Amino acid sequence: MNQTYKEQFDRDGYVVLKQLFSEQEVNALKKEAVQVLKKKEVGKEGVYVGMAAASPIFAAAADKEELAEVLQEIIGEEVVFLSDKIVFKDAGTDFGSPWHQDYPYWKGSHKYSVWIALDDADADNGCLRVVPGSHLYGDINHQGDASDGLGFGNRLREQDIDPDQIVDLKASKGDAIVFHDLLFHASYPNKSGKERWALISTYKDGTQADPHYDWATAAFVVGRSRS
Ligand SMILES: O=C(O)CCC(=O)C(=O)O
């Protein structure tokens, strides 16, 4: 019998949603991202936080019905979208995101992120890597060295990761990966000379108390506009 998304998520700490966005939708998001950044006068470098706060097209993507249904199955009836960001690995970018859990960045109730491929992604241009089931290891003390100036102040150490447990999540443009904030994850550097952009949207269970997040400027309950 096929497992439900919730069963898969509870076991692995992530689920893959193939082709959540069509090629046309992804192209529209990329085009809109370029406009947003132009208006904000920022370059396509590293990470840009706050796409849905800046653009109704991104706000609609964060509230996409098929995604909302899966999130409600996994999280519960009241799913709150908090914020999103684009992680740019442009043709000349050669940084991989280091191994980490997201939880130490925001604490409070557990959060759920959706990593959406805006380009095909594989080991050559920076696909996501995960350790299935590591969301069950708890809140790990991040003692990795973060002195290279590439961000990600909370990093796991090499010895925290068992290489035999790593799964590379090769993705096609439009695929999405929903993952728990305790899941060990990282991404490869982009050595391909081609773009690798990803959109990451973060959600929480609206019934759970939390500190105030001043970055959650576009927060809303998903699906509310349809009910
Ligand atoms: O897209 C990537 O490189 C992964 C980014 C990431 O792990 C994060 O922002 O938490």
Side-chain angles (χ1 to χ4, degrees), residues 10 19-20 29 33 43-44 74-76 89-90 94-95 99 116-117 130 166 170 203 209 218 221:
D10 288 348
Q19 294 302 282
L20 178 68
L29 286 168
K44 293 189 271 98
I74 291 172
I75 302 172
K89 295 187 178 186
D90 265 359
D94 186 17
F95 74 91
W99 284 101
I116 298 157
V130 300
I166 297 173
K170 200 171 151 181
Y203 301 82
V221 178

Side-chain angles (χ1 to χ4, degrees), residues 208-223:
Q208 299 294 314
D210 255 317
H212 171 72
Y213 298 117
D214 53 8
W215 43 268
T217 46
F220 60 82
V221 178
V222 304

Side-chain angles (χ1 to χ4, degrees), residues 85 87 89 97 100 102 115 128 152 185 187 196 198 200:
K85 63 185 181 185
V87 183
K89 295 187 178 186
S97 303
H100 64 284
D102 285 336
W115 186 100
L128 206 60
F152 290 96
H185 64 287
S187 68
R196 194 242 59 182
I200 308 181

Side-chain angles (χ1 to χ4, degrees), residues 26-183:
V26 171
N27 291 343
L29 286 168
K30 284 193 82 168
K31 200 165 151 204
E32 175 74 352
V34 172
Q35 293 308 317
V36 168
L37 299 185
K38 211 187 265 172
K39 232 182 258 170
K40 301 271 179 197
E41 296 183 1
V42 292
K44 293 189 271 98
E45 243 177 42
V47 177
Y48 183 78
V49 180
M51 299 305 295
S55 154
I57 295 180
F58 276 89
D63 197 22
K64 191 176 175 62
E65 191 165 1
E66 295 85 342
L67 175 59
E69 283 171 9
V70 175
L71 291 173
Q72 283 162 346
E73 180 187 327
I74 291 172
I75 302 172
E77 275 312 300
E78 192 174 316
V79 176
V80 173
F81 165 76
L82 291 171
S83 181
D84 58 358
K85 63 185 181 185
I86 289 206
V87 183
F88 298 104
K89 295 187 178 186
D90 265 359
T93 310
D94 186 17
F95 74 91
S97 303
W99 284 101
H100 64 284
Q101 296 172 308
D102 285 336
Y103 184 73
Y105 289 96
W106 44 56
K107 301 284 184 183
S109 72
H110 286 299
K111 311 294 182 299
Y112 305 81
S113 289
V114 185
W115 186 100
I116 298 157
L118 299 184
D119 292 297
D120 292 344
D122 60 20
D124 282 338
N125 72 341
C127 72
L128 206 60
R129 318 182 73 198
V130 300
V131 176
S134 53
H135 65 306
L136 302 173
Y137 299 172
D139 177 10
I140 304 289
N141 190 3
H142 282 56
Q143 296 178 327
D145 178 13
S147 61
D148 58 13
L150 293 174
F152 290 96
N154 297 300
R155 303 184 190 192
L156 293 164
R157 296 165 307 174
E158 209 179 311
Q159 62 262 43
D160 296 323
I161 312 295
D162 176 353
D164 294 339
Q165 303 293 317
I166 297 173
V167 171
D168 291 352
L169 298 177
K170 200 171 151 181
S172 302
K173 192 170 170 168
D175 291 351
I177 298 151
V178 182
F179 66 97
H180 193 280
D181 66 1
L182 289 175
L183 186 75

